[in-house]
Every structure is written in C-alpha cells, then in structure tokens.
Amino acid sequence: MANTNTNSGRVSEDQYYLNIAREVAGRATCIRRKFGAVIVKSKQIVSTGYNGAPRGTVNCSDAGFCLRNELGAKKGEHYEWCRSVHGEANAIIHASRFDMIGATLYLVGLESESGEIVKDAEPCRMCKRMIINAGIDTVVVQSAEGIVSQYKTVDWMNDNLGEYRMVNGKLEPVRPEGY
C-alpha cells in the first residue's frame, strides 16, 4: 500500500497516478458513479479511461436517466442495464496489449452526487477479466480518503475471480445471493 507523501514531502508515485485517475474520472458521464483509470508501465502513462456511454451514443448525464438506479441494481449486479463502458475497459481499449503486459492500473471512483471517493471501490468481475487478459499485473485503487488498496491479478486468477469454489473435490460455481 502506498503512502500519500514520501519522506521528502513529495506525493508518492502511487498517489501521483491516483490523483491523475481522479482527474480522469471528472470526464465520466455516469449519473451513478464516476471512475477514472490510468495504466502505467515503467513510470510512463500508457492509457487513461473513464466511464461513459459508447462513442456516438447518448450519455446518461445528458439523458438524465440511469436504468440501474431506477431499477435498484445492487453493486456488482446487472451491468447489462448500464450504458457505460467502464473506465478500466476504456483504458484497456485504448492501449496495445504489448504496452500493458506487466503494467499497473490505477483506479479512482467518485460518487456522482457528492464527489466523494467511493469507499469500497474495486473493478467489477468483467473488468477484472479484461485486466487479466490485458496482462496488467497490479491494480491500485483509492478506496477512501487516505486508504489505498492494492490487488495482484495473479491472486484473482488463483481464486478463479471468486466465481468457483471446491465442493467435495469438484469445482462449483458461486451463485449470486438470492439465486
């Protein structure tokens, strides 16, 4: 986990990229939450992305409507109701895989109404899959003011993204609550 400042009083490298991700999130067009992502390799920014509707289509912020909000979608569920391409996905789309192998993705989420940092932010399952396939090694997330969470994609792979568990020597899917 990263400190906000180094001994010299400078902002730490992780916080520097998280600050940039926070600025990128300011371009998001989602009514529910705004996310900004920055992919960094060898201390160079490879790509950035924020969540918003696909190019050439109406943004939720322009339409003034969020179907996930209206239907009461829980965190992590029913992304098929969402018009947005996630910030992580947009950052990945805009970079070559060669440039992302071994890279770090920095992610910041902001509550659209208050601008507060999303307290329990992390990539969704679909974004985790894309992050793994892109070859990104580490994800650093600003979880709350002053708290930084760090994830290793190898841990997600070793845990099968939490989508399977071993029962009586067999892999079984983990079903969402209520199903």
Side-chain angles (χ1 to χ4, degrees):
M1 294 196 202
N3 294 330
T4 302
N5 292 314
T6 64
N7 290 338
S8 68
R10 292 176 64 194
V11 171
S12 72
E13 205 169 288
D14 282 347
Q15 194 60 54
Y16 169 72
Y17 294 120
L18 287 167
N19 291 348
I20 293 169
R22 187 175 188 157
E23 287 299 314
V24 172
R27 291 283 305 151
T29 60
C30 179
I31 291 173
R32 192 174 172 118
R33 291 198 172 118
K34 298 175 180 287
F35 277 85
V38 177
I39 298 173
V40 176
K41 183 175 179 183
S42 302
K43 300 184 181 191
Q44 288 293 134
I45 294 175
V46 172
S47 182
T48 65
Y50 54 86
N51 57 324
R55 292 179 194 274
T57 67
V58 175
N59 289 307
C60 297
S61 58
D62 296 331
F65 185 82
C66 173
L67 187 59
R68 287 189 77 225
N69 275 350
E70 295 297 317
L71 298 177
K74 295 178 187 172
K75 179 185 177 213
E77 293 184 8
H78 297 295
Y79 285 114
E80 70 275 13
W81 297 343
C82 181
R83 291 190 44 75
S84 284
V85 177
H86 289 183
E88 306 95 299
N90 272 322
I92 290 167
I93 289 166
H94 297 238
S96 79
R97 185 170 189 279
F98 178 80
D99 289 335
M100 292 186 286
I101 294 172
T104 299
L105 186 143
Y106 293 87
L107 182 67
V108 174
L110 304 173
E111 298 291 349
S112 289
E113 287 185 23
S114 68
E116 301 274 326
I117 290 177
V118 175
K119 306 277 185 269
D120 55 353
E122 68 176 282
C124 73
R125 284 185 176 183
M126 290 301 297
C127 286
K128 285 179 180 178
R129 293 174 188 154
M130 286 185 270
I131 290 165
I132 290 168
N133 276 3
I136 295 168
D137 282 347
T138 306
V139 177
V140 178
V141 182
Q142 184 81 57
S143 302
E145 293 293 343
I147 299 171
V148 176
S149 301
Q150 189 172 52
Y151 304 95
K152 292 296 205 177
T153 56
V154 69
D155 293 335
W156 293 342
M157 291 183 285
N158 290 339
D159 187 38
N160 286 301
L161 294 169
E163 295 173 347
Y164 287 91
R165 66 178 174 206
M166 203 55 105
V167 177
N168 298 325
K170 281 180 60 177
L171 281 175
E172 282 194 7
V174 175
R175 288 172 172 58
E177 193 175 306
Y179 291 91

